[in-house]
Amino acid sequence: MLTPTLHTARLLLRPLAVADAPAIQRHFNNWNIIRTLAAVVPWPYPDDGAATFVKLQLDKIAAGEEIYQWVLVLRDGDGTAIGNIHFRPRVESRKGHRGFWLAEPYWHQGLMSEAIAAVNDFAFGPLGLDHFYVCNVASNAASRRVKQKTGAEFIGHIALPHHNGETRTERWIVRRKAWLRYRGSQPPPAGDR
């Protein structure tokens, strides 16, 4: 299945494209973003880091791997990527099935919670999943809040090295029943009306 474009009240989540590399490089090359990510991300971030990332992801998708790679774009913006969500529903990884980041100028506006709600709808709708796992470094309160606001259930801690030197990582499960119950108590996103 190809990565579909998802719509929310304020965002388009569209498939990752080669043309997104410059915006990703500009926004992602930021210690405030990278410090809370798993140590597999290179730091210092190389000058060709985004181009390499985009090529690798698009090659994996072209080879048939089930990876959904979205860039977040403001609906009333110029089409420039301001963040990324990846979802690997059938890959078992200590880091979980989904990861995300958002450009720092867009923090604390509820945009990531809005985007994650659309991804959860996709996971439990068209993909038909029963559950999936997500993680965050224990000190990342913003990532924890997104999980809490989008129906995830905390299940414990694992050890996973992050750039800020921490290894204590929170592990969460997102279950279909809990999501549908949560979603039923929320108004539908503007894009779904």
Side-chain angles (χ1 to χ4, degrees):
M1 181 182 277
L2 297 175
T3 301
T5 298
L6 306 176
H7 303 265
T8 75
R10 297 177 290 171
L11 297 167
L12 290 177
L13 282 69
R14 63 169 172 73
L16 177 70
V18 171
D20 295 317
I24 292 171
Q25 183 72 34
R26 183 173 61 256
H27 290 303
F28 188 73
N29 188 12
N30 177 339
W31 177 245
N32 290 330
I33 293 171
I34 293 195
R35 69 185 171 85
T36 61
L37 298 181
V40 296
V41 175
W43 186 260
Y45 199 60
D47 291 341
D48 66 346
T52 300
F53 164 78
V54 170
K55 181 183 181 329
L56 176 65
Q57 296 306 309
L58 295 179
D59 286 351
K60 287 180 178 184
I61 292 167
E65 287 190 41
E66 188 178 15
I67 302 171
Y68 301 94
Q69 280 283 359
W70 290 278
V71 292
L72 283 62
V73 175
L74 293 171
R75 285 178 75 127
D76 61 357
D78 63 3
T80 301
I82 62 165
N84 172 249
I85 299 175
H86 73 264
F87 189 59
R88 295 173 174 90
R90 305 190 210 291
V91 172
E92 290 306 316
S93 167
R94 291 175 45 82
K95 296 185 304 177
H97 297 101
R98 184 189 69 210
F100 57 77
W101 65 269
L102 183 65
E104 191 171 9
Y106 304 95
W107 291 1
H108 310 295
Q109 299 174 36
L111 291 170
M112 190 53 75
S113 295
E114 190 175 309
I116 291 299
V119 173
N120 286 359
D121 285 343
F122 175 69
F124 297 124
L127 291 184
L129 299 181
D130 180 62
H131 67 277
F132 60 90
Y133 296 94
V134 292
C135 292
N136 58 271
V137 67
S139 64
N140 191 339
S143 186
R144 179 182 313 112
R145 278 191 306 274
V146 168
K147 290 169 181 69
Q148 292 167 332
K149 291 191 314 189
T150 56
E153 173 190 340
F154 176 73
I155 56 173
H157 290 97
I158 62 171
L160 189 67
H162 289 78
H163 279 291
N164 65 1
E166 279 185 83
T167 57
R168 190 167 187 233
T169 301
E170 297 174 349
R171 188 161 169 84
W172 303 76
I173 187 167
V174 185
R175 300 177 200 268
R176 170 194 276 281
K177 272 187 179 179
W179 174 249
L180 294 177
R181 187 171 46 251
Y182 169 83
R183 199 62 157 142
S185 69
Q186 304 296 311
D192 293 347
R193 293 182 194 154

